[in-house]
Every structure is written in C-alpha cells, then in structure tokens.
Amino acid sequence: MSEGTDPLHVQDGPEEGRASPLEVPADTYRRIRFGQIKRLVNGHVAVLPALPLLSVFFAFFLESIYPAFVPALWVGAMCLHAALVWGLRRMMQKDMAAVAADPDKWARLYGWTCLFGSFAWSAIVPVFWNTAIPDQSLYVLLVLICTSFFTVTTMTMIPRVFVMSNLPYLITMVAGLAVLPVVINPVIFPINIVVLGVNFFVALRAAKRDFDNNLIHIANEELIGDLERARDISEDALASAKRANADLSSQEELFRALVENAKEGIILTDQAGNIRYMSPSIKHLGYDPTTFLGVPLSDLIPPDTRRKAIEHFSLQSDAPYPPLMLTDQILTPTGRRVWIEARITDMRHDPNVGGFIANVRDVTERKHIDDELSEHLEILNALAQDAPLDTILRRLTYDIEKTNPALRALLVLIEDGKPQNVVAPSLPRTIRDKLESGEISHDALLLKRDMRLGQGAIVPDIAAGKVDGHLAECLKQIGLRSFWSQPIISRKGRLLGLLAVFHIQPHTPSTKELSKADGAAHLAGLAIERRQSEGELREAMERAELANRAKSRFLATMSHELRTPLNAIIGFSEIMHTQLFGPLGDRHYSDYAKDILTSGRHLLSVIDDILDISKIEAGRYELEAREIAINEAVEWSVLLTQPKANEKHITIMMELAPNLPLILADLRAIRQILLNLLSNAVKFTPEHGIITIAAERAANGGLNFSVTDTGLGIPADKIEHVMQPFGQATNNTTEYQSGTGLGLPICKSLIEMHDGRFTLESEEGKGTRVTLWLPPERLCLEGVAVTAS
C-alpha cells in the first residue's frame, strides 16, 4: 500500500491477531510507532544497569544446586542482554531517519532482544530453585512475578514487544505448575497464570488506548498546525489586501498627479462622443476643463479634420476602430493659433472606459522646427542644383515674412565694403536704390557695429531716435516702425552682407524670431560663399586651361625646335663615330663623337618622356587597343635591353607561363612599359646581377607580369617619392643616378589607362620588384567576346 494520504489498515502485530483495527494514514502510523519504539528503548536503557547488578546480587547471595559456573553463565547472559539493548539504541541514534521510515522493523529487532532477555531472566527459577530451601524458591518465584508485573506496566505500547517480553515468564509459570506443585502450594501457580492472563488482556487494551491517544494527539497537532497556517494565511491575505489598497491609493495619486501635470492633455468621452472628463493639463492649450463638459468632442476639431474623424469613426457601429492620428492648427479660446497632435482611441467596448480617449499635445514648437528644417533643406537643395543666387536669397526673405504678415525682410550683398546687390522683394524700390547708391549706409542697419564680429542690432522703436536720420525717415515713409539685423559672415570671417527684418509696429523680437534671422543669415552666407567659390573655381579652371594650352603649344614647339637639330646632331655624330667617310685622324675625335651621340640620344629620350607624361596628364594619350601576345612584347623588350645587360654581365631570365592568352591592349604602351622597367633594372643592377621578367594568370582571373632585379633597391621612405614625375631615389653611389625620373610614373599611368594596377616593392640593398596586373576584361579568352574602352 502506498504511503502519504492513502489509508492504512493497521494491526497491533502479526502474532497477536486482530486488535482494534484503525484506518490511519501510513505516515501517521509510522510516526506513532516511531515515538513508541523510541520511548520503549530509552526507558529500557534507563533501567538497563539494574538487571546485571541484580543478577550478580542473586548469584552471590542465593544458593544453587548446580555448579558455580551455571550461575556465572546466567550472569553473563544478563550482561549480554544489556549489551544488545545498548547496541540497538546506538544503531537507532546513528540513523534515526531509517528508524522513522520503518519503525516496525526496529520494533521486531527490539522484540527479539527483549525475548532473549526475558528467557535469560526466567532462568533464575531453575538456576536457583532449591527444594531444600523453600523460602528461596518462593522468593525466586516472587521475583519472576514482580518482573512480569513490571513489563506489563512498561511495555504495553507495542503488543509484539509485550508478548515477546512476557512469553518466557508464562512458559516458566506453566512449567512450574506441571512440575513443582508438590514443593510449593499448588494454588500459587494457577493464581499467577490467571494474573498473567489478566495482565495480557490489560496490556492489549492499554496498547490500543496508547495508540488511539497518540493518534488523537497527532490529529490535534495537525489540526492546531492547520489552524495556525490558516491564521497565518488569513493574516497574510489581510496584510496583502492592505498593501494592495495602499498601493492602489498610491498609484491612483501618482496617476492623478501624472495626468494633471503632464503637458499632454487627456479627454474622455461617453458612448456618444460627449466630453465627460478633461485633464487639468489641457489648460496649456487655453481650454477650461470644466467649461467643455458635455460638449461633443467633434466641436473642438477643425472642420476639415472633423470630416476625416467622422469618416474614420462611425458612432452607429459597435465595432472597435483603430486609433486615429490627427495633426492640425486650431484657434484656442484665448485667440492663439497652435498646432496640435491628437490620438483618438475607441474604448467604447471597454466597460471601464465606455467612450473615446483623446490624447492631445501641443506640437507648435516642433512644427515650426520641422518647417524651418524643411525650408533649410529646400534652400540647400536649390543651392546644390545650381539655382541662381538671387532666387535663393529671395526664398530666404519669403520664409521670414511668412512667419508673420507684419514682417518685411531685406538682404544686402557686400563686396569690398560696398553694397553690390539688395534683395527685398516685399519692400519698395526706394530703400533698395538708396542702399545700393550709398545714400543710406548699410552700417546704419547695424547701428555702426563691427559686422565682422557677428554683432547684430535690435531697434524696438525707430522713433526712439537711435537710428541714422536718413534711414529713420525712409523707414517711416514706407510704414516700418522697428527692425533687427544680423551680419552675414563667411567661415573665414569675411563680411559677405547683412540681413535686416522690419516690423510695421514697434516690436521687440522674440528669441524665436532672432533665431530665425540668425539661421537665414547663416544659409545666406553659405549660398553667397558657395557661389563666390564656384566663380573663383571657374576662373581658376579657365586659367588652368589656358596654362595647359600654353604648355601644350610650348611642348609642341620645343619638340619641333629641339628634335630638328637633335636629329642632325645624332646623325652626324653617328657618321663621325663610325668613320663612315674615312678616319678622323686623332682617336680622341672618335671618342668625342661617341659622347655627342650618347648625349643626343639621351636628350631625345628625355624629350619623348616629357611629351608622353604631358599627354597623359592632359588626357590626350589615346590607346589603340588590339589583340597582342604578351610573350612577343616581352621578347622584343628583352632583345632591345640585352646589349646593355651584356656590358655589365647581367643575366635576364624570362619565366613565362605556357598558354598565356592574348591581351587587348595598346602594343606601343605595353612595349614602352616593359622597356622602361627593364632599362631601369639594368641601370640600377650591379655587374653579374640577375633580372627576371615573368608572366602568369592571376588568381582573380586577370594577368600578372613582373620585373624583378637584384639591384640597389629603393629606401622605404622614397618609394612614394619615385612614383611622382621627376622623382628620384637618392643613393650613396652616384654611379647609377642618371635619368629624368619619369619612367615609373609613365608606366604606372599607362597600366592604369588599361584598367590595371601598378605595384612597387623594394628593399634597399636587395632589389626591386614591379608587378603589373591587367583585369580579366583585358584577356582574349577562347569563346569569350572581349571588349575594352
């Protein structure tokens, strides 16, 4: 049977038969048995020393008919019994949880211990029964009877233990009745047996009462515990209710404070849309919350927006509607025009609300900021789209004037301290003419302040007499009574102009109006400065174009003027050096002719490089793309460079991958690139060096070809410098420092014109590697149509 709340049919013991069946939970039964076994063992241990001491006493003072070792064995048996009881108690103390889990098991162990002890104690009768001493035999019998009474009074809680404790005494009495009636009065044994039977009956009844009392005690304890828990739960519930009420009151006060002090107004209507609550914060919009109770919410909405709201909400329908967002300008009861943003939510289906909720906030400030930002963006967009400066400045004056019908705006453009243009579309021509002519000084609009410091002027009333007389008279004639102004300063602090805002009545500008003027002045400054910069840029480009044309004409002229005599010098020096028409006489003449030939060729090469770099920079170098074989271009370049390399015993190695595709490129440009790179490598590689030219397909599908040498190398801080026109690396040895410094820039420009890349890697003292990459679009692959610009 399972434990817990399942009922358990309990019997007092397996040997005694049914005795007072009780239907109790298993846990309760084990709890009762655990308490009983614990009380029995503890009580037994309390009197445990008495039995061994009494056995020693009897063995010492009583006479036995048996040898001395028999009483000694009897005393040993009693000591063993005491040791067993003490050991059982120690085992129980070490694992009380096990005892509580299965108390019947420990009751059985304790019963067997008591059975052994009772048999050992009952042996007092045969050990010390002496027919020669009748008084001693009677005394021994009385001791046994007293022991039986003692067990009846102390061990009745568990019937099993009681029976096992008293069974040896009963057996001894029956044996005495059968064997010894002639020794002692025969009436004594029957009386003792009857008394023992009565004791058994009383003990069983006492065991039942003890079990029932324990059960009632446990039930009372559980009832008291349940009552205490119920009381605690009740008290906790009461405390929670009090806290909840306090929290609710606090939240209500907090909600009320938030609603009443929020800048956003809250309006609550009934099912028909009539106002039944307005939060005090609605006063920010000029409404009295108590005045509009019962008024339809639609009466507070402007007509156009009202139609939109009516279309969105149908008061005849019971279906809920999504919230409606409205933004419009309204006229408040105080006569102030404000922009509001309202969110109307249908809460008619919520029994706690039963109407519409409108959250209303004043967005006038945000609307003005958004409008101003939009205006600024439109002006900047017009500026980016090259709108005329006059159009942009007029737009700035219109944006200022539309914020208040009583305002008039004026912009003055100043150059070299004098007005150059006056933009005032809403003002009479009179004031514009007087400002442009200088009759009215523009300084008067700033009260002669230093405009370069960004100091504006504020004149709340022209009649106060603080304004220049000519300006005051002119303004009065056109109906203006006050103004404020702001200088327009460039980012470099240069005075570009000024902005003035006029009012038809005496008026002190608000912070918003001053900010508006300051923003317009800033935008005007950007527009003026950009247009002036664009003009300066156009002039600079025109000057650069003129200079470029002059350079081109100069180079063309110089090319013609230099090439003609150079060709003659090179031709005649070559004839003299080769002694085509006979010997020159002295051998020094031949050396001189060789030097002239070498210098002339070098000068012609310099002129060609200068012309090439000039064409490239001017964008006039045109490529003639056609299909060429890179290996043929490499072999041609090596063939031209080999004689110079042989003079220095330099080895040129070609590492060309097989089956390289044709490339779509300008043959002359590719040859010039390779020839320049190989010439540089030969020039800056010492004797017995190695130059390697390689070509292979790149991992990304393009083509890599490179020139690597074991020459002097370039210092790391000079690599960027040598890539500039006429840039040369400075080495400690001047032997290799010939050239114009145009070869590498020309190579880089030509390869980039083919949509390729130029990479230079060098380490001083170890050599240089130049890698050229052409994109896949420049490769003529089989079956693929290739095009290039």
Side-chain angles (χ1 to χ4, degrees):
M1 186 175 294
S2 62
E3 298 180 358
T5 58
D6 293 337
L8 178 68
H9 186 73
V10 180
Q11 293 182 344
D12 286 341
E15 294 84 1
E16 301 84 50
R18 179 181 294 260
S20 182
L22 298 173
E23 297 291 338
V24 295
D27 288 341
T28 303
Y29 172 77
R30 284 193 293 270
R31 182 178 173 187
I32 293 173
R33 276 287 183 262
F34 174 68
Q36 289 174 337
I37 187 66
K38 191 163 62 170
R39 290 199 302 274
L40 279 177
V41 174
N42 289 337
H44 197 161
V45 170
V47 298
L48 192 62
L51 292 178
L53 292 176
L54 286 174
S55 62
V56 172
F57 174 81
F58 290 150
F60 184 77
F61 288 102
L62 298 181
E63 295 183 7
S64 176
I65 61 176
Y66 300 104
F69 71 88
V70 174
L73 288 175
W74 177 71
V75 172
M78 295 308 301
C79 292
L80 178 60
H81 166 66
L84 289 174
V85 174
W86 183 85
L88 180 64
R89 182 170 180 262
R90 290 288 296 173
M91 290 171 61
M92 291 175 59
Q93 288 177 340
K94 286 184 179 180
D95 195 358
M96 295 300 286
V99 178
D102 191 4
D104 283 339
K105 169 188 172 183
W106 293 88
R108 286 193 296 272
L109 290 175
Y110 179 63
W112 287 108
T113 304
C114 291
L115 180 64
F116 172 77
S118 297
F119 270 118
W121 184 254
S122 298
I124 190 174
V125 175
V127 171
F128 294 105
W129 189 268
N130 194 337
T131 56
I133 309 174
D135 292 339
Q136 177 178 310
S137 300
L138 182 60
Y139 176 75
V140 170
L141 188 60
L142 290 175
V143 168
L144 188 63
I145 293 172
C146 290
T147 304
S148 175
F149 277 110
F150 176 76
T151 57
V152 168
T153 57
T154 58
M155 295 188 177
T156 58
M157 288 180 286
I158 301 176
R160 175 186 293 109
V161 175
F162 172 75
V163 170
M164 297 177 77
S165 298
N166 284 275
L167 184 61
Y169 304 148
L170 181 61
I171 293 172
T172 302
M173 293 297 179
V174 173
L177 177 63
V179 178
L180 306 172
V182 297
V183 181
I184 300 177
N185 190 343
V187 180
I188 293 176
F189 284 101
I191 293 174
N192 287 337
I193 292 173
V194 171
V195 170
L196 224 84
V198 172
N199 285 344
F200 266 83
F201 177 76
V202 172
L204 292 176
R205 300 296 298 174
K208 180 181 182 303
R209 285 196 306 273
D210 183 76
F211 190 89
D212 291 344
N213 290 336
N214 279 286
L215 187 62
I216 294 172
H217 178 71
I218 291 174
N220 290 336
E221 286 182 351
E222 291 178 352
L223 178 61
I224 293 172
D226 291 341
L227 291 175
E228 289 179 350
R229 285 191 293 274
R231 182 195 62 191
D232 294 340
I233 292 173
S234 176
E235 290 177 353
D236 291 342
L238 182 60
S240 298
K242 290 181 179 179
R243 287 195 299 271
N245 290 333
D247 292 342
L248 181 60
S249 300
S250 175
Q251 290 176 2
E252 288 178 353
E253 292 298 328
L254 176 61
F255 178 74
R256 185 184 301 278
L258 290 174
V259 170
E260 293 181 354
N261 295 283
K263 295 188 68 176
E264 182 176 292
I266 299 176
I267 301 175
L268 177 63
T269 74
D270 55 18
Q271 289 281 349
N274 298 320
I275 298 174
R276 59 189 175 98
Y277 174 77
M278 294 181 79
S279 65
S281 55
I282 206 74
K283 292 179 180 179
H284 294 302
L285 298 175
Y287 292 94
D288 185 356
T290 60
T291 305
F292 291 89
L293 296 180
V295 176
L297 177 61
S298 58
D299 289 355
L300 304 184
I301 304 175
D304 293 339
T305 309
R306 184 187 310 158
R307 285 192 292 272
K308 180 180 177 182
I310 292 174
E311 291 175 1
H312 187 81
F313 295 112
S314 175
L315 297 179
Q316 287 76 26
S317 174
D318 293 332
Y321 296 90
L324 174 65
M325 294 297 300
L326 300 175
T327 302
D328 204 346
Q329 190 178 39
I330 64 171
L331 181 64
T332 66
T334 59
R336 186 167 64 98
R337 288 192 173 275
V338 297
W339 282 90
I340 64 163
E341 183 179 82
R343 185 177 189 270
I344 304 176
T345 306
D346 182 9
M347 301 291 289
R348 290 175 295 170
H349 292 76
D350 189 339
N352 297 317
V353 181
F356 294 93
I357 293 179
N359 300 86
V360 185
R361 65 168 63 92
D362 184 354
V363 295
T364 306
E365 190 71 24
R366 191 185 74 189
K367 180 68 175 174
H368 289 163
I369 293 174
D370 290 344
D371 291 344
E372 188 171 349
L373 287 175
S374 178
E375 294 166 0
H376 288 184
L377 288 174
E378 290 177 4
I379 291 172
L380 291 173
N381 188 44
L383 184 61
Q385 294 178 354
D386 294 330
L389 179 61
D390 189 67
T391 301
I392 295 174
L393 298 181
R394 283 176 177 270
R395 175 63 187 273
L396 286 172
T397 60
Y398 289 146
D399 289 342
I400 293 174
E401 292 171 356
K402 76 177 183 180
T403 60
N404 189 340
L407 298 181
R408 305 289 184 271
L410 174 144
L411 270 164
V412 180
L413 273 67
I414 299 172
E415 188 172 348
D416 297 331
K418 296 179 181 180
Q420 297 297 318
N421 187 19
V422 178
V423 179
S426 301
L427 292 175
R429 182 69 189 178
T430 308
I431 188 170
R432 288 182 282 170
D433 292 341
K434 289 184 178 182
L435 283 169
E436 289 177 353
S437 64
E439 183 178 345
I440 297 177
S441 173
H442 60 271
D443 291 342
L445 290 171
L446 291 167
L447 302 183
K448 299 187 183 298
R449 295 172 181 264
D450 188 351
M451 291 185 289
R452 292 171 299 178
L453 300 178
Q455 297 175 344
I458 299 176
V459 180
D461 189 357
I462 295 173
K466 295 182 179 180
V467 186
D468 178 77
H470 294 86
L471 175 61
E473 184 64 26
C474 181
L475 295 178
K476 288 179 182 179
Q477 290 177 0
I478 59 178
L480 303 177
R481 295 294 178 265
S482 59
F483 73 89
W484 54 95
S485 59
Q486 182 68 32
I488 302 173
I489 307 297
S490 72
R491 285 174 293 180
K492 295 182 179 180
R494 185 165 56 91
L495 180 62
L496 302 176
L498 66 89
L499 168 68
V501 183
F502 303 93
H503 199 286
I504 61 176
Q505 297 293 336
H507 176 71
T508 300
S510 64
T511 303
K512 186 184 300 182
E513 290 171 328
L514 292 174
S515 175
K516 180 74 174 178
D518 183 65
H522 177 70
L523 285 176
L526 291 177
I528 296 169
E529 194 170 14
R530 174 167 180 141
R531 290 296 179 260
Q532 290 180 351
S533 298
E534 288 174 352
E536 294 172 357
L537 181 60
R538 281 193 296 270
E539 293 177 1
M541 290 179 65
E542 290 173 359
R543 290 195 297 268
E545 182 65 22
L546 290 174
N548 190 48
R549 290 175 183 173
K551 183 183 73 172
S552 298
R553 286 195 298 270
F554 170 77
L555 291 174
T557 302
M558 290 299 295
S559 173
H560 175 72
E561 295 297 331
L562 291 175
R563 283 175 179 271
T564 301
L566 268 178
N567 287 332
I569 292 171
I570 292 172
F572 288 126
S573 61
E574 187 174 5
I575 291 173
M576 294 172 65
H577 175 61
T578 58
Q579 300 181 17
L580 184 62
F581 298 112
L584 297 178
D586 195 311
R587 64 178 181 84
H588 291 90
Y589 293 146
S590 178
D591 295 336
Y592 296 155
K594 179 183 178 181
D595 293 340
I596 294 171
L597 176 61
T598 303
S599 300
R601 287 176 176 172
H602 177 69
L603 181 58
L604 184 60
S605 174
V606 170
I607 293 173
D608 289 339
D609 286 346
I610 292 174
L611 290 175
D612 286 341
I613 197 69
S614 299
K615 288 180 181 180
I616 292 171
E617 290 180 348
R620 296 179 179 177
Y621 195 107
E622 296 182 0
L623 298 179
E624 296 180 3
R626 62 189 180 92
E627 295 182 0
I628 63 173
I630 187 64
N631 54 342
E632 293 179 1
V634 170
E635 291 171 358
W636 181 87
S637 302
V638 171
L639 184 63
L640 292 184
T641 314
Q642 192 66 59
K644 288 288 186 183
N646 292 338
E647 293 178 4
K648 300 174 68 175
H649 307 288
I650 294 175
T651 301
I652 299 179
M653 301 174 63
M654 291 189 294
E655 297 179 355
L656 306 179
N659 301 323
L660 288 175
L662 299 178
I663 63 174
L664 195 65
D666 186 303
L667 179 59
R668 176 179 172 275
I670 295 298
R671 284 180 173 180
Q672 185 176 357
I673 291 170
L674 295 173
L675 191 58
N676 280 351
L677 295 178
L678 286 172
S679 298
N680 274 355
V682 172
K683 185 187 301 180
F684 295 105
T685 299
E687 292 186 355
H688 305 287
I690 298 175
I691 299 173
T692 303
I693 181 167
E696 62 180 356
R697 288 293 298 276
N700 57 7
L703 180 69
N704 285 335
F705 51 99
S706 61
V707 177
T708 308
D709 63 56
T710 57
L712 300 177
I714 304 171
D717 58 342
K718 295 292 184 180
I719 290 179
E720 186 176 352
H721 175 68
V722 300
M723 296 307 301
Q724 302 298 324
F726 303 102
Q728 293 181 329
T730 302
N731 293 303
N732 296 329
T733 306
T734 60
E735 177 184 353
Y736 307 98
Q737 293 182 6
S738 59
T740 60
L742 293 173
L744 291 179
I746 290 174
C747 293
K748 183 175 183 295
S749 299
L750 290 177
I751 199 66
E752 289 176 351
M753 290 175 68
H754 286 80
D755 305 318
R757 287 198 301 265
F758 181 98
T759 306
L760 175 64
E761 301 171 289
S762 184
E763 186 175 352
E764 190 173 10
K766 291 188 177 181
T768 302
R769 177 186 177 89
V770 176
T771 303
L772 308 174
W773 174 81
L774 288 175
E777 294 79 8
R778 287 283 175 180
L779 304 187
C780 303
L781 301 175
E782 184 178 356
V784 179
V786 180
T787 59
S789 58

